[in-house]
């Protein structure tokens, strides 16, 4: 390799094909290995970087200006941990700016340092986005050294040797280790997150759940119990739930499905209302007889158009997934309910004559528009109907 470290460069992104992007290191020092994807959201960088669905990935933000709202303790989406169970690194066009928002309690750079997120700024993120668009999401190592000492050959070799996300179960490390209850609702001005009284008993299987999924569920009047990813169907049903939610999460749904899908099938057979989100949607589809495939770029952003085929309405939604349900593999008893207007991929299913549905996108948003919040009310209605 003939690439040399540029004067003043303190950060690099080394792709598996030998491409080297150099710039200014920000956030934590050290290096991180992962799959590089681009995110098209204009806001919500803290929620994005703490979404467990980004575990083992490096995020390139297409929006050039990041950091102006700083960071705070309220906008973290994962239940615990740092970059080991969420995004490993981040790439920016400009160096993150100082905070200028009343909710900030730390600068974005300081927050990244504290969480262990390695960042790279001052690079052409448009060029990186084109690489991902044309060649698929590459394996890469992002590194930050204030002294500018990098072994580029070793970094490229490390990226090249990584096996990637296919076949990788990441739900177990992203999941809670023990069951707990949740009673916090969605954020409300000026009081913040309220405590809500629960009614219907909902069990959420945590494959890497986001806090705002739990908050949106709680705001429908649900009494929520969150259980680990490896919880059996018998253990879930022993809690006598009115409904069960299969959460979002990282990794290959087929790999996690090796232990989760047999339990999901039992939940389907139980007749309980069932809702799946993102990874939960994919594994529900597998349990029903469909298959999933790896996408070249995936869908990552807060501005994706999705059509609800049950109403004919188009919604702008938040997306974060690198695998998709093969719509041609859906069995006859499963109806496609939502579809991406970007590429026609499946974004939702429902089981005929059963109170079961799931969506690929994130109805809780966070960040993003709230066009799909009605899906939580739809789930609450299914539980009401099942109780009659």
């Amino acid at each position: 390799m003939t690439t040399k470290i540029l004067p003043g460069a303190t950060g690099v992104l080394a792709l598996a094909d030998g491409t080297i992007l150099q710039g200014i290191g920000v956030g934590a020092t050290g290096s991180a290995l992962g799959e590089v994807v681009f995110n098209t959201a204009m806001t919500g960088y803290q929620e994005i970087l703490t979404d467990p669905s980004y575990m083992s990935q490096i995020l390139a933000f297409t929006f050039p200006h990041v950091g102006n709202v700083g960071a705070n303790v309220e906008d973290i989406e994962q239940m615990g941990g740092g970059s080991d169970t969420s995004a490993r690194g981040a790439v920016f066009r400009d160096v993150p700016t100082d905070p200028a928002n009343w909710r900030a309690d730390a600068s974005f750079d300081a927050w990244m340092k504290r969480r262990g997120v390695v960042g790279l700024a001052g690079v052409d993120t448009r060029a990186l986005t084109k690489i991902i668009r044309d060649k698929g999401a590459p394996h890469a190592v992002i590194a930050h050294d204030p002294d500018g000492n990098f072994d580029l050959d070793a970094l490229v070799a490390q990226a090249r040797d990584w096996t990637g996300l296919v076949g990788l179960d990441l739900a177990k490390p992203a999941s809670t280790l023990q069951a707990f209850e949740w009673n916090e609702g969605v954020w409300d001005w000026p009081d913040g997150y309220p405590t809500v009284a629960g009614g219907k008993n909902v069990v959420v299987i945590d494959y890497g759940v986001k806090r705002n999924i739990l908050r949106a569920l709680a705001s429908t009047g649900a009494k929520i119990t969150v259980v680990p990813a490896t919880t059996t169907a018998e253990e879930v049903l022993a809690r006598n739930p009115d409904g069960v939610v299969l959460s979002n999460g990282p990794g290959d749904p087929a790999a996690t499905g090796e232990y989760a899908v047999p339990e999901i099938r039992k939940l389907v057979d139980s007749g309980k209302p069932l809702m799946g989100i993102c990874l939960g949607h994919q594994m529900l589809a597998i349990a029903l007889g469909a298959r999933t495939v790896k996408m070249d770029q995936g869908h990552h952003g807060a501005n994706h158009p999705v059509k609800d085929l049950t109403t004919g309405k188009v919604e702008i939604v938040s997306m974060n997934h690198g695998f998709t349900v093969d719509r041609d593999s859906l069995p006859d008893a499963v109806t496609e309910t939502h579809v991406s207007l970007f590429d026609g991929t499946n974004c939702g299913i429902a089981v005929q004559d059963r109170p079961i549905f799931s969506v690929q996108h994130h109805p809780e948003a966070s960040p993003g528009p709230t066009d799909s919040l009605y899906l939580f009310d739809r789930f609450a209605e299914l539980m009401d109907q099942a109780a009659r």
Side-chain angles (χ1 to χ4, degrees):
M1 183 180 298
T2 58
T3 304
K4 296 182 179 180
I5 303 298
L6 298 175
T10 57
V12 299
L13 181 70
L15 307 188
D17 67 357
T19 300
I20 303 292
L21 299 180
Q22 303 186 38
I24 302 169
V26 296
T29 57
S31 64
L33 171 68
E35 177 186 78
V36 186
V37 296
F38 61 84
N39 186 294
T40 56
M42 296 171 62
T43 60
Y45 48 81
Q46 185 180 0
E47 293 99 317
I48 292 167
L49 288 177
T50 57
D51 181 349
S53 297
Y54 279 119
M55 188 174 173
S56 291
Q57 291 183 312
I58 298 166
L59 276 136
F61 287 87
T62 59
F63 192 68
H65 306 297
V66 173
N68 60 304
V69 298
N72 60 68
V73 296
E74 292 185 324
D75 290 344
I76 294 174
E77 283 295 330
Q78 70 195 110
M79 298 306 302
S83 63
D84 55 333
T85 55
S86 57
R88 302 300 315 280
V91 182
F92 313 107
R93 173 61 185 87
D94 296 330
V95 174
T97 56
D98 291 333
N101 185 275
W102 66 273
R103 295 182 68 230
D105 56 33
S107 71
F108 188 38
D109 182 66
W111 178 83
M112 289 177 63
K113 285 184 172 70
R114 188 166 64 243
R115 283 186 57 84
V117 180
V118 181
L120 171 66
V123 300
D124 188 347
T125 51
R126 295 171 300 176
L128 179 57
T129 299
K130 289 181 66 177
I131 290 173
I132 299 170
R133 183 194 65 189
D134 296 340
K135 299 181 180 180
H139 300 170
V141 176
I142 187 170
H144 172 198
D145 181 351
D147 296 324
N149 297 320
F150 302 101
D151 186 337
L152 299 181
D153 291 311
L155 295 178
V156 170
Q158 185 182 2
R160 187 178 296 131
D161 291 343
W162 187 48
T163 56
L165 294 178
V166 175
L168 198 59
D169 169 33
L170 295 176
K172 284 180 184 175
S175 177
T176 182
L177 296 177
Q178 60 185 12
F180 64 91
E181 293 186 355
W182 181 274
N183 62 357
E184 188 174 86
V186 296
W187 199 85
D188 184 43
W189 169 267
D191 300 319
Y193 297 111
T195 299
V196 295
K200 289 290 188 294
N201 181 20
V202 175
V203 173
V204 177
I205 303 179
D206 176 16
Y207 303 114
V209 70
K210 291 175 62 181
R211 290 173 184 257
N212 272 296
I213 287 177
L214 302 179
R215 290 172 179 140
L217 279 169
S219 293
T220 67
K223 178 183 178 182
I224 298 170
T225 302
V226 183
V227 299
T230 55
T231 304
T232 66
E234 289 79 9
E235 290 170 329
V236 171
L237 296 174
R239 296 179 178 275
N240 194 28
D242 295 296
V244 180
V245 173
L246 312 174
S247 86
N248 68 295
D252 186 340
T256 301
E258 289 186 7
Y259 60 86
V261 162
E263 306 307 319
I264 295 172
R265 289 195 181 109
K266 296 174 187 176
L267 294 173
V268 169
D269 292 339
S270 75
K272 295 287 186 180
L274 196 61
M275 176 183 181
I277 298 173
C278 197
L279 179 65
H281 159 73
Q282 296 162 357
M283 292 195 297
L284 175 63
I286 294 173
L288 295 170
R291 63 178 178 269
T292 56
V293 294
K294 183 73 166 65
M295 306 175 76
D296 287 337
Q297 299 90 13
H299 288 164
H300 310 280
N303 45 17
H304 285 241
V306 165
K307 186 172 184 178
D308 183 343
L309 300 178
T310 67
T311 64
K313 294 181 179 180
V314 175
E315 308 154 23
I316 305 301
V317 305
S318 288
M319 290 268 199
N320 179 15
H321 61 105
F323 293 81
T324 186
V325 174
D326 181 358
R327 65 191 308 183
D328 294 331
S329 70
L330 292 171
D332 293 338
V334 177
T335 301
E336 185 174 51
T337 59
H338 294 75
V339 62
S340 167
L341 296 184
F342 273 160
D343 58 12
T345 54
N346 173 265
C347 289
I349 59 173
V351 180
Q352 297 173 15
D353 302 321
R354 294 198 182 188
I356 299 172
F357 75 94
S358 62
V359 290
Q360 180 63 77
H361 49 286
H362 284 257
E364 84 290 348
S366 304
T370 57
D371 294 21
S372 296
L373 274 178
Y374 70 91
L375 290 169
F376 294 104
D377 293 325
R378 183 178 290 182
F379 180 58
E381 291 171 5
L382 288 178
M383 290 190 289
D384 288 338
Q385 292 170 8
R388 292 173 190 155

